[in-house]
Amino acid sequence: MDLGGLLAAWGLPPGAHYVPLAGGHINTTYHVTLPGRPEAWLLQRLNLLVFPDGAAVLRNMSQVTGHLARAAAARGEDPTRTVLSLLPTMEDEPGIQTVDGAWWRLLRFIPGARAVEHATAPEQAFEAGRGFGRLHALMADYAGAALEETLPGFHDTARRFDALTRAVVAAAEERLAATAPEVDFAVSRRHLATQLTGALAAGVLPGRIAHNDAKIANVLLEADSGRALAVVDLDTVMPGTPLFDVGDLIRSLTGTTPEDHPDPKDVEVRPAFFAALAEGFLGQGGLGPAERERFVTAGLVIAYEQGLRFLTDFLEGDRYYRTTRPGQNLDRARVQFALVRALEAHRPALEQLVR
Ligand code: GN1
Ligand code: MG
């Protein structure tokens, strides 16, 4: 691939240096610099298998980053540091498509920032909450073109339950036998499946946007201060509710163990992390009353849904989530379901913290 030729689409001169960046399981990223110029860029190729409609992904991203940049500037911030910038091509398109069908985009590199994979202190949970809370506060008055549903039914928990049911019917005997308690648990908490989507469909929750991959690794932190700068990885930004992100933050930040921990008995809720996350998120003022009321519910629903997804994938033979050892997806499902139980047990205290 002649990467230099690609950059001409954005009006960059020949002679750029590229360094492929490790990390990121889905897209391919190059760090780009030009001799004699201080700034840097990220050139990314979107994974065609995960995102068959890359053009729609880029349109969504362009709408959202454009709105965020205007809203941040109106607050007196420097949007080049606090908002991811997707640079339009010379033809004013959000990216270009190469003959293999893949879409490419160019982002401005934000210097002096870093990402952490796991929160090790409540202050980090606070910053992750603040970063996503700010995203939703800035997006609250979004009135641009409706975003496209690039991954249909992504957070339709009832649909995820149906997928599990089908996987149970089709599963290999051996895998099914290993999952009996988890399948029972999934059935016992089925009421969770419609708590967010039902309220959305009924208009009790307003239809807004969701980032859909809310975790601390997707918030750039200022290297010196650890303060949240910009939310990144906007590939899955779609119509939804900010509560999808609240739920993902709760399930990824407040548990005691890694996502694939082999012993679910070790899974507990870390109330101090929950409190910090809630303070950081809610302090941005981006949620309305009906949303605030379901803050804790969102954690239960999304942890449950993620458990359904891991369990389904285990039963289907580990086709979706990358695994590095046998039983890893089952461990992941068990951790999510243990988290649902722990959140249930802590619920009154967590509701109190939110209030
Ligand atoms: C996937 O790609 P990654 O690891 O950020 C998944 C999320 C899950 C997450 C669980 C497009 O995210 O929905 O929450 O795994 N992304 C997609 O670890 O399915
Ligand atoms: Mg991601």
Side-chain angles (χ1 to χ4, degrees):
M1 177 70 62
D2 173 18
L3 295 174
L6 279 183
L7 285 173
W10 284 273
L12 292 185
H17 292 300
Y18 307 89
V19 182
L21 290 189
H25 294 313
I26 293 186
N27 300 320
T28 311
T29 305
Y30 300 88
H31 182 263
V32 179
T33 48
L34 276 166
R37 287 186 56 172
E39 70 267 56
W41 299 266
L42 294 176
L43 178 66
Q44 282 188 316
R45 178 188 190 276
L46 286 183
N47 184 316
L48 201 54
L49 295 174
V50 178
F51 301 110
D53 191 353
V57 169
L58 293 182
R59 282 194 296 271
N60 280 352
M61 194 173 161
S62 158
Q63 287 295 326
V64 171
T65 52
H67 179 88
L68 288 174
R70 287 187 294 275
R75 285 184 173 193
E77 293 173 13
D78 173 6
T80 64
R81 289 196 66 69
T82 61
V83 177
L84 191 65
S85 14
L86 176 69
L87 300 171
T89 66
M90 300 292 278
E91 314 260 291
D92 205 26
E93 298 291 339
I96 59 162
Q97 191 176 26
T98 42
V99 286
D100 58 353
W103 281 85
W104 294 74
R105 67 183 168 209
L106 192 67
L107 306 169
R108 185 181 287 128
F109 179 77
I110 302 179
R114 67 190 176 96
V116 303
E117 280 303 312
H118 300 286
T120 50
E123 294 71 40
Q124 292 179 334
F126 177 86
E127 290 303 324
R130 202 170 66 81
F132 276 96
R134 180 175 160 280
L135 169 83
H136 286 296
L138 293 177
M139 287 304 292
D141 62 350
Y142 176 75
L147 299 189
E148 295 165 74
E149 204 178 351
T150 46
L151 300 172
F154 193 64
H155 276 306
D156 184 343
T157 315
R159 192 190 73 122
R160 301 288 189 184
F161 184 89
D162 293 343
L164 173 64
T165 308
R166 285 194 302 276
V168 165
V169 171
E173 195 53 48
E174 192 190 296
R175 290 209 176 210
L176 188 58
T179 62
E182 287 70 35
V183 172
D184 286 349
F185 182 84
V187 172
S188 74
R189 299 304 192 278
R190 195 174 174 178
H191 60 276
L192 288 172
T194 47
Q195 293 198 345
L196 295 183
T197 50
L200 255 182
V204 175
L205 284 174
R208 297 178 56 186
I209 67 130
H211 175 283
N212 289 317
D213 196 8
K215 55 183 175 184
I216 192 161
N218 280 337
V219 183
L220 291 186
L221 304 175
E222 197 168 47
D224 305 335
S225 66
R227 296 269 289 167
L229 282 175
V231 169
V232 299
D233 188 4
L234 295 163
D235 292 337
T236 51
V237 67
M238 276 185 280
T241 159
L243 292 178
F244 293 156
D245 295 344
V246 167
D248 259 330
L249 289 169
I250 292 175
R251 70 160 204 89
S252 65
L253 282 168
T254 69
T256 40
T257 73
E259 202 167 66
D260 63 349
H261 189 72
D263 190 353
K265 284 197 292 300
D266 296 334
V267 175
E268 251 308 333
V269 167
R270 302 185 287 188
F273 283 68
F274 178 91
L277 159 64
E279 198 186 339
F281 197 105
L282 294 168
Q284 294 295 308
L287 294 189
E291 294 162 337
R292 273 202 307 276
E293 211 171 277
R294 290 167 177 78
F295 195 91
V296 179
T297 300
L300 283 155
V301 172
I302 300 300
Y304 172 67
E305 178 186 285
Q306 191 64 57
L308 296 177
R309 294 176 65 191
F310 285 142
L311 187 56
T312 303
D313 198 37
F314 174 76
L315 287 169
E316 289 180 341
D318 307 318
R319 296 192 304 211
Y320 191 88
Y321 296 104
R322 195 193 317 271
T323 55
T324 52
R325 57 178 171 82
Q328 194 172 10
N329 273 320
L330 182 54
D331 286 343
R332 288 169 175 155
R334 286 176 172 154
V335 165
Q336 293 304 310
F337 287 166
L339 203 50
V340 171
R341 286 185 201 275
L343 287 166
E344 284 171 347
H346 284 266
R347 182 161 197 163
L350 302 181
E351 297 285 5
Q352 193 57 43
L353 283 169
V354 170
R355 276 195 295 273

